[in-house]
Amino acid sequence: MSFETISNFIAAFFTLSIFSFLYKDNPFYKFAEAVFIGVSMGYAIPLIYKDVFTPFVYRPIFVESKFWILIPALMGSLYVFRFSKNLSWLSRYPIVFGMAIVGMGVPLSMHSYVLVQMRSAMLPFDNINTILIFIGTVSILLYFFFSREHKGVYGKVTNVGIWYMMVGFGASFGYTVMARISLLIGRIQFLLGDCLGLVK
Amino acid sequence: MAEKKISFYERMQALDRRYIYLVVALAIIIPLLIPFNSKTYVTEPSENIYKKIDSFAGRKDRAVLLSFTHDASTMAELFPMEVSILRHCFERNILVFTICFLPQAKPLMDYALQTAKEGYEVQSGIDYVNFGYKPWAIFVPLLLKMGDDIAEAVETDDEGRIVNNLEIMKEIKNYNEMNLIVDFSGSAAGLRWITYARAKFGANVALGVTAVMAADNYIYLQSGQLTGMLGGLKGAAEYEKLVDVFATHKELDENGILKPAPREFSKEIIKESWIKMSDIKNRQHKTARIGMNAQTVAHIMIIVFIVLGNIGYFVSKRKTEKVS
Amino acid sequence: MKRQIPLLIVIILGFIFAIHTFVPHKVSADFFDWYQTWIKAISPFMVLLGIMSLTMVHSTKIKRKVPNWQYSVVTLLSLVGTGAVGFIWGTQEGTPFMWLFKNVQMPMGATMFSLLAFYIASAAYKAFRARSAEATVLLVAAMIVMLGQVPIGIKISKWIPEISSWILNVPNLAAKRGIALGVGLGMTATSLKILLGIERTYLGGGD
């Protein structure tokens, strides 16, 4: 038995242990789940040490003698106080440093998600589809305007919005089915192809 | 007699979910075991990514950045896309960079590179470079810094080399040269490239997304914020086909030897082309297309489930109405 | 002061970045470089939150001997074991660390989500009912999109992929744009609230 076969066998064991949950909750599933959580977290530690801590903290301080890097490094270590009752306020400092980039997010997200989208919704009515897109977008925006009761003509317009949304949700659902099935196909391809060599 | 029929529908309604699970498993296992050839139809968002990448062929002043923003949970859909785009780049001498911002994405990125490299004599630092894993916290700052200078932003590659000293960087400075970013993700994470790289620097952005996210991204395709999109396993199958039909196309020379003869994208050729799955020897080059066979059966199964469930529901409802 | 100083940092830095978006002056570009170095040095410590949270939850379970506490031991052993393997043998391709990822973490991560295929099929049979005209429209659109995505769609009728594409590019697009505009405005408003110090939940509880 080759090393690859043993490796595939172990991977298949964990795959089937997770699948066993479909029958009912059982010790195999619980064991696999526990291992999964531990390995996932444990995996990140050495990787972050090697790819983040070493180049961005250790090397600048101890190799390049940039001792001022100690200040942000010490600030980063304040994260450990997050779970402390009395000192949790110290963990706010590293958090706010990450949060500050939001200043750039305000104008850029306004541009990307609002202004460009509004411009694209108001294209010249050169065909029936651009008209339909415009009607749909406006009626949905009106539907989400809750300051006015959805009655009379206004109610009829917002109703059009509901129909558009139903078609949109249907499209998302159709795509979601495809996504979920694809993931299962991937696992069955692994079991039948990589483990048993039955998929050519 | 009629009563017996109704009870059958009621029984149908209360069917144990585990029977349904069994049908689902069989609907996928059988088509994978008994493969059949089905034609993959290529859509415009996939074509656009292909054409954009292909326009960089052989150029040293153009490059593609592939950003891996997903873990193993969405690998079945995204991995075949990644492999086929990398194959396209290696086949057509297109400079390619890879980067990831999640620790879980790092081995998947390495695995995709390793799989795609098979059969190509490409060299790290010359034909491609793996920037490696960078922490999520610096995603936006790094993305913005790339607008000025990629080498300065990334500093070192996965092998610890100074990026600025690499041969591949000779004619590549910022988004003007690395003029296409393809982000692979199962979330809206890829949209950050639109918010920052596209809005501030005018970079071309394309997405490889799981099918769950695909329907939401049509607005960015229409607005031109996205150059193209690969949606789920179907998108991956489309790109696999595009690579096979155009980039890795081979023709017989005057001595009757099959030689690489890549050709330009053409709607007519892709419409008419038909590739037999058994002719493709490497399973990694056709994973998505094999998967689409099972997908066909599974979609029909789901539709049948919806129809049967509704028949049972309406018959039971009518019976209840009659009784009351 | 415990809240005010952090808030002040967000406001000052945030406004500098907002200005930098429109006026990329050398001074603000240098400032941005400085910020990047700081954030890089801060970032590796974020992992401490995850480790501490996981360790605290599971060690409490073990201490209190709650039902199934034995699995918490497995979780902690896996956490320590994987970390140790990475530190001892390295994280490169071909090491036991990568073996663990490829044969333990990766198959389980992929399988966890693939369970949803079974649940969605079960839901299709048991829950997706055409109870109203709107629900019927949703189901019909879903079925057309499903058929349009797979090769058999065009075999049934050449119109199926066409209609599917139209659904995605017209009514779906309008629906998603309407929703996205709302989300976009919401996102901008939330960012602005953070920038102005109105939204403070990210600071956590306490003084």
Side-chain angles (χ1 to χ4, degrees):
Chain A
M1 210 184 243
S2 71
F3 182 67
E4 202 192 337
T5 315
I6 297 168
S7 303
N8 278 340
F9 175 77
I10 291 167
F13 166 76
F14 282 115
T15 302
L16 293 172
S17 296
I18 300 286
F19 276 143
S20 69
F21 185 75
L22 290 168
Y23 185 70
K24 63 177 184 184
D25 199 1
N26 64 75
F28 284 104
Y29 174 76
K30 283 203 180 84
F31 173 75
E33 189 191 36
V35 172
F36 176 62
I37 297 166
V39 171
S40 300
M41 193 70 238
Y43 166 79
I45 306 166
L47 199 78
I48 289 173
Y49 176 79
K50 178 192 156 266
D51 289 351
V52 188
F53 184 81
T54 307
F56 301 150
V57 180
Y58 180 84
R59 201 183 300 143
I61 297 173
F62 297 105
V63 180
E64 297 161 18
S65 302
K66 290 178 183 167
F67 294 110
W68 61 271
I69 294 282
L70 270 169
I71 304 166
L74 285 172
M75 189 185 275
S77 60
L78 296 178
Y79 272 124
V80 295
F81 294 109
R82 192 68 188 159
F83 300 104
S84 154
K85 264 185 192 160
N86 300 323
L87 297 172
S88 70
W89 61 274
L90 283 170
S91 67
R92 287 173 186 155
Y93 287 92
I95 292 172
V96 295
F97 256 82
M99 202 55 101
I101 200 79
V102 87
M104 212 171 253
V106 173
L108 292 177
S109 60
M110 184 73 187
H111 170 84
S112 303
Y113 301 124
V114 181
L115 300 179
V116 176
Q117 287 304 318
M118 277 169 64
R119 190 179 61 203
S120 307
M122 294 182 281
L123 293 174
F125 292 157
D126 52 3
N127 64 52
I128 184 77
N129 288 338
T130 46
I131 300 169
L132 287 172
I133 290 171
F134 179 77
I135 293 171
T137 308
V138 171
S139 59
I140 290 165
L141 286 174
L142 290 174
Y143 173 80
F144 284 113
F145 185 69
F146 296 117
S147 302
R148 193 175 161 179
E149 211 177 340
H150 294 185
K151 270 166 56 179
V153 178
Y154 187 72
K156 283 197 173 75
V157 174
T158 58
N159 213 25
V160 173
I162 295 176
W163 287 87
Y164 267 93
M165 277 193 284
M166 287 302 137
V167 178
F169 294 149
S172 289
F173 172 65
Y175 257 128
T176 304
V177 168
M178 186 167 108
R180 301 310 179 213
I181 299 285
S182 304
L183 302 182
L184 182 59
I185 290 170
R187 290 327 290 153
I188 294 183
Q189 273 183 325
F190 164 72
L191 289 172
L192 297 179
D194 298 346
C195 294
L196 301 173
L198 296 173
V199 179
K200 299 286 171 219
Chain B
M1 191 69 190
E3 214 176 281
K4 223 176 177 181
K5 208 172 180 181
I6 298 297
S7 70
F8 166 74
Y9 285 116
E10 278 168 355
R11 260 208 320 272
M12 243 175 77
Q13 292 265 76
L15 186 72
D16 189 326
R17 63 193 160 82
R18 280 171 284 207
Y19 290 112
I20 299 170
Y21 296 166
L22 188 69
V23 177
V24 175
L26 290 174
I28 291 170
I29 292 170
I30 295 168
L32 288 178
L33 289 178
I34 312 164
F36 53 90
N37 281 302
S38 55
K39 200 167 180 177
T40 304
Y41 286 88
V42 181
T43 54
E44 217 175 294
S46 309
E47 283 173 14
N48 291 341
I49 299 188
Y50 183 88
K51 284 190 278 186
K52 187 78 194 169
I53 294 180
D54 210 58
S55 70
F56 297 168
R59 290 180 68 167
K60 294 288 168 207
D61 60 343
R62 284 288 178 274
V64 182
L65 173 73
L66 306 184
S67 166
F68 296 65
T69 319
H70 67 98
D71 60 9
S73 64
T74 48
M75 197 183 162
E77 291 176 272
L78 304 176
F79 189 73
M81 294 177 190
E82 294 154 2
V83 171
S84 43
I85 291 187
L86 282 167
R87 276 182 66 215
H88 182 194
C89 294
F90 294 152
E91 188 71 42
R92 302 279 285 134
N93 297 319
I94 297 161
L95 303 182
V96 60
F97 304 135
T98 55
I99 196 164
C100 72
F101 296 93
L102 299 173
Q104 296 91 332
K106 166 80 170 59
L108 304 177
M109 179 170 71
D110 295 345
Y111 188 28
L113 270 168
Q114 206 183 311
T115 309
K117 259 162 60 181
E118 222 174 279
Y120 296 102
E121 285 172 11
V122 286
Q123 270 184 288
S124 170
I126 298 170
D127 306 294
Y128 74 95
V129 64
N130 182 0
F131 291 150
Y133 160 64
K134 307 288 169 197
W136 182 257
I138 66 161
F139 184 5
V140 174
L142 190 135
L143 185 157
L144 291 165
K145 183 73 190 160
M146 277 185 179
D148 294 330
D149 194 317
I150 297 161
E152 257 184 41
V154 181
E155 293 179 42
T156 52
D157 76 344
D158 192 41
E159 294 167 43
R161 298 173 295 187
I162 305 288
V163 171
N164 208 20
N165 300 342
L166 299 176
E167 197 188 315
I168 194 171
M169 299 306 293
K170 265 187 186 164
E171 294 179 51
I172 310 285
K173 173 91 173 149
N174 51 36
Y175 291 122
N176 290 336
E177 291 81 32
M178 187 180 73
N179 204 359
L180 180 68
I181 298 123
V182 188
D183 186 277
F184 303 99
S185 69
S187 65
L191 297 181
R192 285 192 176 204
W193 291 103
I194 294 181
T195 319
Y196 296 95
R198 172 86 197 159
K200 194 158 162 55
F201 304 102
N204 290 309
V205 180
L207 296 180
V209 288
T210 54
V212 175
M213 300 305 301
D216 294 350
N217 290 326
Y218 278 82
I219 53 173
Y220 305 111
L221 285 170
Q222 190 239 11
S223 63
Q225 288 164 293
L226 279 181
T227 302
M229 177 179 75
L230 300 178
L233 199 66
K234 160 115 168 96
E238 290 177 21
Y239 212 91
E240 275 182 1
K241 185 178 175 179
L242 285 164
V243 173
D244 279 344
V245 172
F246 300 108
T248 65
H249 178 68
K250 287 186 177 70
E251 267 172 23
L252 291 170
D253 67 1
E254 58 272 20
N255 302 321
I257 300 165
L258 212 54
K259 286 228 165 130
R263 46 187 177 177
E264 292 286 309
F265 173 83
S266 144
K267 268 197 186 297
E268 284 68 41
I269 296 174
I270 197 80
K271 230 180 212 174
E272 301 305 319
S273 61
W274 173 261
I275 296 168
K276 242 174 106 181
M277 284 298 103
S278 52
D279 291 345
I280 303 166
K281 298 294 168 230
N282 191 335
R283 192 157 63 86
Q284 295 284 12
H285 297 173
K286 55 180 176 180
T287 320
R289 281 171 291 177
I290 294 174
M292 281 310 285
N293 285 341
Q295 193 90 49
T296 305
V297 180
H299 278 198
I300 292 169
M301 172 199 72
I302 297 276
I303 291 170
V304 170
F305 277 163
I306 294 174
V307 172
L308 281 180
N310 275 285
I311 292 173
Y313 166 71
F314 281 111
V315 173
S316 306
K317 197 176 153 192
R318 194 181 293 170
K319 151 98 171 135
T320 320
E321 279 167 4
K322 264 186 194 169
V323 170
S324 58
Chain C
M1 285 302 268
K2 288 173 185 172
R3 291 179 84 87
Q4 273 81 350
I5 296 175
L7 273 177
L8 213 62
I9 294 173
V10 172
I11 294 168
I12 295 169
L13 290 181
F15 271 101
I16 293 173
F17 287 139
I19 295 164
H20 178 66
T21 313
F22 299 107
V23 194
H25 189 269
K26 172 136 187 3
V27 176
S28 70
D30 289 346
F31 177 75
F32 186 71
D33 285 348
W34 169 84
Y35 172 78
Q36 209 190 9
T37 319
W38 271 57
I39 208 78
K40 276 178 177 174
I42 290 172
S43 64
F45 297 95
M46 274 171 94
V47 76
L48 293 173
L49 284 177
I51 301 166
M52 283 174 69
S53 165
L54 192 74
T55 314
M56 278 160 67
V57 167
H58 287 278
S59 54
T60 313
K61 277 186 182 175
I62 296 166
K63 252 186 244 161
R64 292 184 185 163
K65 293 268 187 302
V66 297
N68 295 320
W69 62 271
Q70 296 87 341
Y71 296 106
S72 292
V73 178
V74 175
T75 301
L76 291 182
L77 284 177
S78 308
L79 169 78
V80 176
T82 314
V85 162
F87 281 115
I88 297 167
W89 286 287
T91 58
Q92 293 307 307
E93 188 63 41
T95 57
F97 179 76
M98 271 300 148
W99 183 91
L100 265 176
F101 184 85
K102 276 190 178 163
N103 297 292
V104 180
Q105 208 275 350
M106 204 168 85
M108 281 199 280
T111 314
M112 283 280 184
F113 278 81
S114 73
L115 291 180
L116 293 170
F118 293 100
Y119 300 144
I120 210 162
S122 174
Y125 184 74
K126 288 176 177 271
F128 298 143
R129 301 282 182 257
R131 285 175 214 274
S132 61
E134 287 92 340
T136 313
V137 170
L138 189 150
L139 284 178
V140 171
M143 287 199 264
I144 294 170
V145 171
M146 268 191 260
L147 284 174
Q149 298 299 314
V150 289
I152 202 166
I154 202 157
K155 290 249 165 76
I156 297 169
S157 162
K158 69 171 182 146
W159 291 104
I160 287 182
E162 298 283 332
I163 299 170
S164 166
S165 168
W166 181 82
I167 287 175
L168 289 164
N169 283 300
V170 181
N172 166 67
L173 190 145
K176 298 293 155 65
R177 177 161 288 145
I179 295 167
L181 278 170
V183 173
L185 283 169
M187 256 166 59
T188 311
T190 309
S191 303
L192 206 58
K193 275 164 79 180
I194 293 171
L195 194 62
L196 297 171
I198 301 164
E199 168 64 52
R200 303 168 182 194
T201 45
Y202 63 90
L203 291 175
D207 305 333

